Amino acid sequence: MSVSIYELKTQLSKYIALLEEGKEEEIEITKNGKVVASILPKRPKRDIFNVGKELYGDIKIQIKGDMYDDVVNSFYGD
């Protein structure tokens, strides 16, 4: 779905509700007929250490010493 800046400004609550209810996955914002931005619904952040739990059940990972920082940085970056 795409809407003009003016339409979005005047009907913002309506478009936010569409995203919240899952009726729209993305709203493109246009200016003079050209897409200039998009609005996406906020999705819950997945905890990288719990992803395996969804697939394999309760898994415990023990990281000792300085390795913890290296592992976390490899997922999230420095």
Side-chain angles (χ1 to χ4, degrees), residues 38-71:
S38 296
I39 301 175
L40 303 170
K42 183 169 172 84
R43 293 187 170 81
K45 203 175 199 183
R46 293 178 72 189
D47 185 348
I48 59 164
F49 291 109
N50 288 326
V51 171
K53 187 175 183 177
E54 296 171 10
L55 299 172
Y56 305 108
D58 195 14
I59 297 173
K60 303 247 188 246
I61 299 173
Q62 185 176 21
I63 304 169
K64 295 184 177 185
D66 295 336
M67 288 288 296
Y68 179 81
D69 289 336
D70 293 337
V71 171

Side-chain angles (χ1 to χ4, degrees), residues 11-25:
Q11 298 290 322
L12 182 60
S13 296
K14 169 186 160 184
Y15 292 109
I16 296 297
L18 291 173
L19 292 170
E20 285 179 322
E21 295 165 4
K23 293 180 180 174
E24 291 293 334
E25 291 185 18

Side-chain angles (χ1 to χ4, degrees), residues 1-4 7 15 24 26-30 33 35:
M1 163 182 275
S2 64
V3 297
S4 69
E7 172 70 13
Y15 292 109
E24 291 293 334
E26 177 179 16
I27 297 174
E28 295 180 326
I29 305 165
T30 61
V35 176

